[in-house]
Amino acid sequence: MNVRPSQKIMLSAVQPSHQLTLGNYLGALKNWIKLQHDYECIFFAVDLHALTVKRDPAQLKEQTYQAVATYIASGIHPDQAILFIQSHVPEHAELSWILNCFTYMGELGRMTQYKDKSTQQGKNIPAGLFTYPVLMAADILLYQTHLVPVGEDQKQHLEITRDLAIRINHLYGENLFTVPEIYSPPIGARIMSLQNPQIKMSKSDPDPNGVIYLMDSDDQIKKKFKRAVTDSGQEIIYRNDQPGIKNLIDISCALTGKTPEEWVNQYRGKQYGHLKIETADRVIETIAPIRSKTAELLKDRNYLDALLKQGAHRAREKAQRTLSRVYDKIGCVGGRY
Ligand code: AQP
């Protein structure tokens, strides 16, 4: 069956595990906004995913609202996209259990994010950290999603999602699930920490100086860029063995659409300090309006609650359609929906 682009589903989400970062914006949100007119869009805050690590309940609630407000403040159209909170749609957890029964321990054990996060966790690793990619597969397959825009770090989880869809479709002889495509931006898919350009910029980095949060003040942003770890050379070049400088150029490219060569030419004969200060200015230009719009939206909880309620309702209609087909195909007695 041919599907017109307007009928295709684009879906993506962010964990409200902390305030959103410049990495989340450049690797994910900016692309949601760019692509939103070509798809029917589903965006949500994955609070159940955030539970894989111990959280302060009040903070998790606040950051969940903040994530949704940031989507809108960044440019997602709230009257067009389906916006909701993952735990408001119980079908995610239901499908996740079913998918767990089709997922192999070996494939989950190979996930880089599991290896990294379980090492940080030490003893008593929650099972949820291990099965996280299965819940993510449920998030996506529930809506017969065509396209998932994500940063580089989530590509491996998307591959498992695709494998599961293909495996289950093959077992039940029918296209139960749409096999989703991955969209990762050519630049900006992996923004690195400003303090350690060998690791990605992460919301939950214990060193806040490495992370630009979208709610950071102009002053904080300037200070963080000023302190950014650069390399021992003098020249501004774009090379893997100069990861600190490369990261600053990548940030400028992702913000402006210019190429690394254009920035290198622009900074010929200039010093690292110029690049740091001007990258901070470019970031502030983008982030400051998002920050103030987010703060404004957060003052009106009634508006956000009404929007999220409507979003969950629209999402459940779609989710229940998939889930009832799945129950039927795998042998559970139907009739519930
Ligand atoms: N540094 C990054 N560069 C580019 N894209 C990034 N993303 C995350 N960090 C970067 C993309 O943002 C989307 C939402 O990510 P997530 O919140 O679901 O989980 P994550 O990938 O684990 O993000 P964080 O910031 O590192 O969170 P914590 O510290 O809580 O684990 C995804 O599309 C992701 O690729």
Side-chain angles (χ1 to χ4, degrees), residues 184-230:
S184 231
I187 289 211
R190 194 170 172 79
I191 300 300
M192 310 308 275
S193 154
L194 297 185
Q195 284 300 307
N196 178 0
Q198 306 290 350
I199 59 167
K200 75 159 191 154
M201 186 182 283
S202 260
K203 285 184 226 89
S204 41
D205 188 331
D207 181 359
N209 289 320
V211 188
I212 301 292
Y213 293 104
L214 297 181
M215 297 304 277
D216 277 350
S217 67
D218 292 358
D219 223 37
Q220 285 172 311
I221 297 171
K222 283 182 188 163
K223 278 196 187 125
K224 288 182 183 180
F225 273 99
K226 223 178 215 169
R227 288 194 204 131
V229 169
T230 39

Side-chain angles (χ1 to χ4, degrees), residues 168-182:
I168 296 171
N169 284 348
H170 182 72
L171 278 171
Y172 293 94
E174 190 172 329
N175 284 341
L176 253 189
F177 296 120
T178 302
V179 182
E181 298 296 328
I182 308 170

Side-chain angles (χ1 to χ4, degrees), residues 157-167 179-182:
H157 295 159
L158 253 296
E159 289 300 344
I160 278 217
T161 302
R162 288 172 52 84
D163 290 347
L164 271 170
I166 293 166
R167 184 176 306 155
V179 182
E181 298 296 328
I182 308 170

Side-chain angles (χ1 to χ4, degrees), residues 13-15 17 21 23-24 27-28 55 113 117 132 149-154 188-191 200-205:
V14 175
Q15 273 193 80
S17 40
T21 70
N24 299 136
R55 305 277 167 212
Q113 196 174 75
K117 290 200 172 173
Y132 174 110
V150 285
E152 185 77 30
D153 61 321
Q154 292 295 339
R190 194 170 172 79
I191 300 300
K200 75 159 191 154
M201 186 182 283
S202 260
K203 285 184 226 89
S204 41
D205 188 331

